Amino acid sequence: MAILDLPLIEISQIRPRIQGKFIFIGDEKFYMRGVSYGAFEPDEDGNEYTKDEVIDRDFALMAANGFNTVRIPHTTPPRSLLDIAQDHGLRVMVGLSAEQYVGYLIDKKDAPNINEIIRDKVSACSGHPALLCYGLGNEIPASIVRWLGHRRVERYLEDLYLTVKSEDPASLVTYVNYPTTEYLQLPFLDFLCFNVYLESQEPFEAYLAKLQNIAGERPLVMSEIGLDSLRNGEDTQADVLEWQIRSTFNAGCAGLVIFSWTDEWYRGGAEVDDWAFGLTTEERKPKPALSAVRKAYENVPIDLNGNQPSVSVIVCTYNGAARIRDCCEGLAQLDYPNHEVIFVNDGSTDTTLNIINEYDFQVISTENKGLGNARNTGLNAAQGEIIAYLDDDAFPDENWLTYLVASFENSDYSGIGGPNISPPGDGFISECINNAPGNPVHVLLSDREAEHIPGCNMAFRKDELQKVGGFDPQFRVAGDDVDICWRVQQNGGVLGINPAATVWHHRRNSVRSYWKQQVGYGKAEAQLQKKWPHKHNSFGHWLWRGQIYGPGLTRALPLRRPQVFHGSWGSAPFQSLYNPSPGTLLSLSLMPEWYLLIAILFGLSLLGLMWRPMLIAAPFLLLALALPIIQAIQSSKDATYSIRNHSPLEKLKIRALTSFLHIIQPIARLWGRMQTSSFTRRRNRMLDLAIPFVRTSSYWSENWDDPDKRLETVEKSLQSENAFVLRGGDYDRWDLEVRGGLLSSVRTFMAVEDHGSGTQLIRFRSWPRIDPTSLLLITLFATLAILAAIDQAWIAASILGMVALILITRMIWSCSTAMASLLNAIDQGEGEKIS
């Protein structure tokens, strides 16, 4: 039964709650269709909302026009107003007016007890069935925030938030912000509210996308939008409000509040008569805007205008019995009429197939061939115009497909992704893993365009997937989503993000399963590095152009504090927080290879037991250990946990485990990469060696060909032998590089002479390249071995010398195999060799 079918009294007895990006009442979403009410002229006793008969008529008209929420922005209303709202099935957003007391943070003399004032206001409304939420305050002036500093204001609001929660623990609490203090960091709020007055649609929608990224996994509400009909005309007001409502809900917001119900408005001790934002006049005569708002609210959340393209939802599973029932239940409740669900059972040996067969879904069972192949199996069987992929340990929001389709209908995006949020109730360890690094996240190039969308929540136009040949079957466990995103973009496609297209994604529920997952991701990274070398740096890390979003990111410690863009004299209408880039050392300590450095320093410190000068490595070892530990502790401290009201001991346990996960994650990724990467795998022709020195070779061809095509032929030949090939950039004096691992590589340069009649002379110059890091390590160990021998510390000298010799041997061997691979590929791809 939907909420709208319940009696008003029964509705009002259910307290609102937050679940992901939306507000819920019971099991139903509550899309806030609101309007602000007041402020009005107070009576002789200073009371504002005393005319119950007027309030009753206004609320009845609001309910008749599709409103479900009334916002009281500047004054905490009497309980009688809440009673009237309950009679009409309306929820009330109660203002606590914290902005009126912020000046006492500056002038503390004779300051009242602000917490007690807020507590009394909350007590007057606490537990009322019509209560939707408390708004701590409304638009603390930017100049006051600038005077006090944003951190002090943030602490002030958090303190008041805790006061509200102590008085009414089950309540929802927000703060009504605006663009001029957008930079305030308020992670404790249950949901975010912004007052935004933009009269042009494109800037408005662009700013909504930015605010959604600020809100993250919490709901976003537009707490004030509107237009002055006095200056713009009543018809223009109606038109603007119509598209503002549509744009707000299309952007995935949980609701909005229109300013204002009536032109009657009292502020600063006087009637305000130089504007007319109301939907009705002072006499409550409806304007055209009221009808426009009513019609727009009828289509909440999204009106697809009859366009409902077919969608195929594909779930690939292998032994997913533990979580797949949640997935099936979520898919069975999807609220989109034109879709099919296809499960690809990739050779499961548990009860997965039995569970899926309880539901009315199409099932395709195959041998276990891996995730990439399973995704293609589903794609080949799909009938939909849009292909949406969901993991078997995830379940969708009921409007998931509606939001995805809306994004496709309103854009030219080839693919669309959305948030994947950890569901509540999965337990202590899952909560910590959700705040650990390595979970699926999206990477954004802008507030709306994505560079990467994770495979647990991604959708593509079917023809776009077919153009690139579907998924690469070599990715059996992970990495398939990164590969398909890069290939779609390489083919000219653009990816987008819809912040409301939400799926709930169970995190791992044990440290062991988390370690296994991260090792698997490390193996996928190594595969991606070989296929997309230009997308990686020399250490094998992805070179994302965009910004990574999501919980659990380990953050480098900045050497400088974040800066706020205020504009000259604090005049900027949109003021943002900018985080400075961390220093090089602090960034390096986030890399998995940092732990190789720790291992080297640990070994050198142990040698100090045999040769005392090596004890000098001990302080560097402590520093190398301290940096990731400090970063892990800080990251766990900054994390937001959905489980609240912990005891101090429980909080310590949560942060300790989260910190531990931050430390072990890069080790797991490194271990996975080392098991799969090019410098540990043996090629079939591993004994093919060529002494690495500068070599020049020439070839005569009777068939003319484009130089780029010749280089591509050599490149493909190398890739067919599993060689790691990198193309030269715009400023490089080399064309191809074949890497032999971390220690060395071989580069080649091609020149072509045209000799007429389609004949060509092709020259290649190839030479070895020693990685500076490996050269430094070899020099270090060799020097230490010599110094130890001079000091007659023979055991230490032998160990150090052996390490240097192993590094030298490994460098020469890998360089020799890379040179042999390159020369063989050139010989195969070119004409008659003449020198």
Side-chain angles (χ1 to χ4, degrees):
M1 179 180 291
I3 273 194
L4 293 178
D5 298 327
L6 295 172
L8 294 182
I9 298 299
E10 187 175 345
I11 296 173
S12 63
Q13 292 173 348
I14 305 173
R15 298 211 70 175
R17 62 186 175 86
I18 298 299
Q19 185 170 313
K21 296 289 292 181
F22 298 101
I23 301 170
F24 279 75
I25 297 180
D27 294 328
E28 300 290 330
K29 278 183 188 169
F30 181 82
Y31 288 101
M32 190 187 299
R33 305 189 300 270
V35 65
S36 67
Y37 193 61
F40 302 124
E41 182 177 3
D43 63 14
E44 60 274 9
D45 297 323
N47 298 316
E48 186 176 331
Y49 297 93
T50 57
K51 300 177 181 179
D52 288 354
E53 67 283 358
V54 176
I55 296 172
D56 185 72
R57 287 198 302 271
D58 285 342
F59 283 11
L61 190 56
M62 289 178 191
N65 280 276
F67 294 92
N68 62 14
T69 303
V70 180
R71 181 187 169 210
I72 311 298
H74 304 290
T75 307
T76 303
R79 204 169 181 90
S80 60
L81 182 145
L82 297 175
D83 293 336
I84 297 171
Q86 182 183 6
D87 291 340
H88 294 286
L90 299 173
R91 294 277 178 169
V92 181
M93 184 177 179
V94 172
L96 300 178
S97 306
E99 77 279 359
Q100 297 179 13
Y101 311 107
V102 72
Y104 289 116
L105 298 180
I106 302 173
D107 301 316
K108 296 184 178 181
K109 185 178 180 181
D110 300 325
N113 189 324
I114 301 173
N115 290 81
E116 285 304 313
I117 293 174
I118 298 298
R119 191 182 302 278
D120 290 342
K121 290 184 175 185
V122 173
S123 178
C125 303
S126 176
H128 195 286
L131 177 67
L132 176 65
C133 66
Y134 298 102
L136 290 176
N138 183 77
E139 296 186 3
I140 295 176
S143 60
I144 299 300
V145 180
R146 189 180 179 203
W147 179 286
L148 292 166
H150 68 92
R151 295 184 186 277
R152 192 173 177 189
V153 174
E154 291 161 2
R155 289 194 296 270
Y156 168 69
L157 291 173
E158 184 172 15
D159 185 46
L160 296 183
Y161 167 87
L162 295 173
T163 297
V164 175
K165 286 292 188 177
S166 66
E167 186 67 27
D168 191 358
S171 64
L172 301 182
V173 184
T174 186
Y175 165 73
V176 178
N177 206 347
Y178 69 135
T180 321
T181 55
E182 170 199 299
Y183 54 84
L184 288 174
Q185 304 290 292
L186 307 172
F188 47 87
L189 296 176
D190 295 310
F191 63 97
L192 263 60
C193 283
F194 271 82
N195 297 339
V196 179
Y197 291 90
L198 286 171
E199 300 174 11
S200 298
Q201 188 168 359
E202 177 58 31
F204 181 75
E205 292 177 349
Y207 193 60
L208 287 177
K210 180 176 183 179
L211 292 180
Q212 282 285 18
N213 288 322
I214 292 174
E217 296 183 353
R218 293 174 293 171
L220 173 66
V221 169
M222 292 294 100
S223 42
E224 277 186 18
I225 62 170
L227 192 72
D228 178 13
S229 66
L230 185 65
R231 292 169 176 79
N232 298 280
E234 292 186 355
D235 290 338
T236 300
Q237 180 194 34
D239 292 340
V240 170
L241 283 175
E242 188 277 330
W243 67 249
Q244 284 184 332
I245 293 172
R246 178 163 36 84
S247 295
T248 297
F249 285 106
N250 283 353
C253 291
L256 62 82
V257 177
I258 295 171
F259 181 78
S260 141
W261 173 246
T262 172
D263 287 343
E264 179 189 354
W265 211 62
Y266 188 92
R267 199 71 176 146
E271 292 282 351
V272 178
D273 57 9
D274 64 341
W275 56 253
F277 278 82
L279 298 175
T280 65
T281 65
E282 288 189 44
E283 296 77 22
R284 303 317 195 260
K285 178 182 177 181
K287 298 180 185 178
L290 182 59
S291 177
V293 168
R294 182 182 67 249
K295 292 178 180 177
Y297 275 163
E298 289 174 356
N299 295 318
V300 168
I302 291 178
D303 181 15
L304 294 175
N305 297 318
N307 296 323
Q308 297 173 339
S310 58
V311 182
S312 296
V313 180
I314 298 173
V315 183
C316 304
T317 181
Y318 172 69
N319 288 346
R323 298 290 193 185
I324 206 164
R325 188 173 295 280
D326 284 349
C327 180
C328 293
E329 289 290 334
L331 289 170
Q333 296 173 25
L334 280 175
D335 185 17
Y336 185 80
N338 192 11
H339 78 279
E340 64 175 352
V341 176
I342 301 172
F343 274 85
V344 180
N345 176 34
D346 188 35
S348 297
T349 58
D350 60 2
T351 60
T352 294
L353 187 58
N354 295 335
I355 296 172
I356 300 172
N357 284 334
E358 296 178 21
Y359 299 83
D360 187 22
F361 302 135
Q362 180 180 350
V363 183
I364 303 173
S365 292
T366 66
E367 297 179 3
N368 181 238
K369 297 180 180 179
L371 181 57
N373 187 83
R375 291 203 195 271
N376 286 334
T377 299
L379 173 62
N380 294 334
Q383 301 297 314
E385 303 168 54
I386 296 170
I387 310 298
Y389 286 97
L390 181 72
D391 280 2
D392 63 353
D393 57 353
F395 58 94
D397 176 83
E398 63 180 356
N399 300 118
W400 174 52
L401 293 183
T402 302
Y403 283 110
L404 287 176
V405 168
S407 290
F408 280 115
E409 291 294 290
N410 296 320
S411 72
D412 295 325
Y413 290 138
S414 301
I416 303 286
N420 66 99
I421 303 175
S422 176
D426 273 1
F428 162 74
I429 296 179
S430 291
E431 178 81 359
C432 294
I433 290 176
N434 183 53
N435 285 288
N439 290 302
V441 293
H442 48 268
V443 183
L444 297 186
L445 294 168
S446 68
D447 291 317
R448 289 184 283 192
E449 183 180 339
E451 182 178 7
H452 167 66
I453 50 180
C456 57
N457 182 8
M458 64 180 182
F460 296 91
R461 300 183 194 272
K462 185 177 182 180
D463 59 345
E464 295 289 342
L465 290 178
Q466 291 173 332
K467 286 178 186 177
V468 298
F471 292 81
D472 188 339
Q474 73 166 303
F475 298 102
R476 294 183 56 87
V477 178
D480 57 296
D481 52 352
V482 178
D483 177 69
I484 197 68
C485 288
W486 284 343
R487 285 197 287 133
V488 167
Q489 290 169 314
Q490 186 184 57
N491 197 49
V494 179
L495 306 179
I497 196 81
N498 187 311
T502 306
V503 304
W504 300 91
H505 190 201
H506 292 288
R507 308 309 188 203
R508 297 299 190 267
N509 56 8
S510 71
V511 176
R512 181 180 180 181
S513 61
Y514 174 73
W515 171 270
K516 183 179 179 181
Q517 177 196 45
Q518 297 306 310
V519 170
Y521 287 168
K523 293 178 179 179
E525 286 177 354
Q527 290 176 292
L528 286 164
Q529 182 188 16
K530 296 188 69 172
K531 185 172 182 179
W532 300 89
H534 60 286
K535 294 277 191 180
H536 297 74
N537 62 19
S538 58
F539 288 102
H541 303 297
W542 292 328
L543 295 174
W544 295 119
R545 294 177 294 144
Q547 178 70 38
I548 300 175
Y549 287 83
L553 302 178
T554 305
R555 308 186 189 279
L557 305 176
L559 297 177
R560 294 179 293 138
R561 289 185 176 182
Q563 293 180 312
V564 177
F565 169 73
H566 291 292
S568 178
W569 295 352
S571 60
F574 296 83
Q575 300 186 16
S576 302
L577 185 71
Y578 291 89
N579 290 298
S581 299
T584 303
L585 178 63
L586 297 177
S587 296
L588 287 174
S589 60
L590 299 180
M591 297 182 181
E593 287 76 13
W594 187 262
Y595 292 85
L596 291 179
L597 174 63
I598 290 175
I600 292 172
L601 291 173
F602 178 74
L604 293 176
S605 300
L606 284 180
L607 282 178
L609 301 176
M610 307 174 189
W611 184 39
R612 294 188 62 84
M614 289 309 304
L615 290 176
I616 195 174
F620 294 99
L621 172 62
L622 294 177
L623 176 62
L625 285 169
L627 279 177
I629 292 174
I630 293 172
Q631 288 164 341
I633 293 173
Q634 185 61 47
S635 298
S636 68
K637 181 181 177 182
D638 293 341
T640 301
Y641 301 93
S642 62
I643 306 173
R644 295 177 177 173
N645 302 320
H646 291 297
S647 68
L649 180 59
E650 289 173 327
K651 289 180 180 178
L652 180 62
K653 287 172 58 180
I654 288 175
R655 289 181 176 173
L657 179 55
T658 305
S659 299
F660 176 70
L661 295 172
H662 275 269
I663 292 171
I664 68 169
Q665 188 267 348
I667 302 174
R669 288 285 180 103
L670 179 63
W671 180 245
R673 287 218 313 265
M674 291 180 67
Q675 292 181 49
T676 312
S677 61
S678 59
F679 60 89
T680 57
R681 292 180 62 188
R682 299 297 187 264
R683 300 188 306 108
N684 293 332
R685 302 174 65 173
M686 58 177 287
L687 296 180
D688 288 353
L689 301 175
I691 299 175
F693 61 87
V694 178
R695 295 169 179 265
T696 302
S697 54
S698 301
Y699 301 84
W700 180 260
S701 176
E702 296 289 340
N703 299 314
W704 188 93
D705 202 355
D706 184 86
D708 288 346
K709 293 286 184 65
R710 293 190 180 278
L711 284 171
E712 286 178 4
T713 300
V714 175
E715 181 184 40
K716 290 178 180 179
S717 176
L718 288 164
Q719 290 173 343
S720 69
E721 297 230 0
N722 292 325
F724 182 5
V725 190
L726 187 65
R727 290 190 178 190
D730 293 335
Y731 300 96
D732 293 321
R733 295 191 62 188
W734 52 272
D735 296 321
L736 293 174
E737 178 179 273
V738 183
R739 297 190 58 193
L742 287 177
L743 301 180
S744 60
S745 61
V746 174
R747 289 176 174 175
T748 190
F749 172 79
M750 185 185 74
V752 178
E753 299 177 14
D754 291 327
H755 286 265
S757 302
T759 59
Q760 290 178 309
L761 178 64
I762 305 104
R763 304 179 191 273
F764 283 90
R765 183 170 67 245
S766 306
W767 65 95
R769 176 183 176 271
I770 308 303
D771 186 271
T773 304
S774 62
L775 190 60
L776 178 63
L777 285 175
I778 291 170
T779 303
L780 172 64
F781 281 104
T783 303
L784 290 174
I786 293 171
L787 293 175
I790 293 174
D791 211 17
Q792 298 184 358
W794 303 114
I795 297 178
S798 300
I799 295 173
L800 291 167
M802 183 63 68
V803 172
L805 183 60
I806 291 172
L807 289 174
I808 292 171
T809 303
R810 178 70 186 186
M811 179 187 67
I812 295 173
W813 180 84
S814 60
C815 197
S816 298
T817 57
M819 180 67 80
S821 296
L822 176 61
L823 297 178
N824 287 333
I826 293 173
D827 285 342
Q828 293 174 13
E830 300 306 331
E832 179 185 355
K833 186 173 183 180
I834 59 177
S835 65

